[in-house]
Amino acid sequence: MAGAADELSLVFQALADPTRRAIISRLRGGPTTVGELAEPFAMSRPAISQHLKVLERAGLIERTADAQWRRCTLRTEPLDEASAWVDRHRDEWNERFDLLDERLRELKGQTDA
């Protein structure tokens, strides 16, 4: 179980950065070269490469070499696992928020009286 939790941590850490989220969004359209991925960002190629390494380590992308082209492909399995984890906990979080809301209304009623 610790392995799965560690992998999930890598996914959430990778998704925490807006540049990496934008890269993932661009990859939804299909495999893309590193150069094409770098185009819209005002940063150096080494900086883009660092972001790609984080995404690759989290299992969110796969990089392949095809002649002189380096292509990146989105891997959705880690995103599916992260989504499933959130879904499993959503009911518990909503229940706790409902209880908190109820308690705050009780406290407000006590101060209004």
Side-chain angles (χ1 to χ4, degrees), residues 4 7 11 31 50 53 55-56 68 71 81 102 108:
E7 290 171 16
V11 170
Q50 285 300 110
K53 285 179 186 176
L55 291 169
E56 190 173 29
Q68 75 271 24
R71 294 197 181 279
E81 292 169 16
E102 182 180 317
K108 187 175 188 293

Side-chain angles (χ1 to χ4, degrees), residues 6-17 19-28 30-32 37 51-63 71-83:
D6 292 341
E7 290 171 16
L8 191 58
S9 293
L10 290 174
V11 170
F12 282 123
Q13 288 168 359
L15 294 173
D17 184 88
T19 299
R20 292 191 287 266
R21 291 192 305 270
I23 290 170
I24 288 174
S25 291
R26 289 180 56 85
L27 287 171
R28 288 187 332 202
T32 308
L37 284 174
H51 284 295
L52 294 175
K53 285 179 186 176
V54 171
L55 291 169
E56 190 173 29
R57 189 170 44 248
L60 292 166
I61 67 167
E62 182 175 83
R63 290 197 276 185
R71 294 197 181 279
C72 296
T73 305
L74 179 64
R75 293 188 63 245
T76 59
E77 298 87 355
L79 293 171
D80 294 339
E81 292 169 16
S83 179

Side-chain angles (χ1 to χ4, degrees), residues 29-47:
T32 308
T33 66
V34 172
E36 291 168 337
L37 284 174
E39 282 175 10
F41 301 105
M43 62 179 65
S44 68
R45 286 285 175 104

